[in-house]
Amino acid sequence: MERKEFIKTCSYSCLGLVGAAFFLEGCSGPKYLNAQFEDEYLLVPLSSFEYENKEENKFRKYIVAYNNRLKYPVSIFRFSETEYRALLMKCTHKGTELQVYGDRLQCPAHGSEFTQNGEVQNGPAEAPLRTFPVQVEGTLLKIDMG
């Protein structure tokens, strides 16, 4: 195999792997929700995590909630029916808005990565993300933004 053909083949393979990773990330894709406020609580319907796959209800790992009152969106991770974690999507290094990928958040400016619990996984950020208390009340999540 010639060098040029080898490089071309490797490039197509890499593109295919990247595409497969995004596809396998979750066929449901991320959910973006314009959440409402009630006093100091951001309200998120539990049904926002649900999606149907082959006539079977499944649950998203996370959703991203935003509101005009918020400078940065909030990612909400679902661990179980009763356990959720809400994280401000603001990098603790330079304040850039984070992007969420599966079970981690990443800073597009300098590459800092955070876990779904808000802990620093890779720097240059050193401080964990801001988290908010979450409580389940009936069919809603109430996130205390105060």
Side-chain angles (χ1 to χ4, degrees), residues 47-61:
S47 60
S48 301
F49 289 90
E50 295 178 26
Y51 71 96
E52 195 172 299
N53 185 6
K54 297 183 182 178
E55 300 178 22
E56 165 184 13
N57 280 347
K58 296 209 174 212
F59 296 93
R60 290 178 176 81
K61 292 179 183 179

Side-chain angles (χ1 to χ4, degrees), residues 29-67:
K31 169 97 176 195
Y32 297 91
L33 172 72
N34 186 3
Q36 301 303 310
F37 266 96
E38 180 180 283
D39 299 322
E40 293 299 312
Y41 292 96
L42 189 65
L43 304 178
V44 176
L46 289 172
S47 60
S48 301
F49 289 90
E50 295 178 26
Y51 71 96
E52 195 172 299
N53 185 6
K54 297 183 182 178
E55 300 178 22
E56 165 184 13
N57 280 347
K58 296 209 174 212
F59 296 93
R60 290 178 176 81
K61 292 179 183 179
Y62 66 90
I63 62 169
V64 176
Y66 61 93
N67 183 289

Side-chain angles (χ1 to χ4, degrees), residues 41-44 46 81-86 132-144:
Y41 292 96
L42 189 65
L43 304 178
V44 176
L46 289 172
E81 252 181 71
T82 58
E83 187 181 0
Y84 296 84
R85 176 107 351 97
F132 302 98
V134 180
Q135 57 192 38
V136 179
E137 282 192 11
T139 61
L140 288 176
L141 283 182
K142 289 181 77 173
I143 301 167
D144 188 348

Side-chain angles (χ1 to χ4, degrees), residues 16-26:
L17 288 173
V18 169
F22 282 113
F23 179 77
L24 295 175
E25 169 80 24

Side-chain angles (χ1 to χ4, degrees), residues 107-123:
C107 179
H110 300 108
S112 293
E113 289 187 3
F114 302 86
T115 67
Q116 60 193 353
N117 292 314
E119 299 160 352
V120 178
Q121 191 169 28
N122 291 313

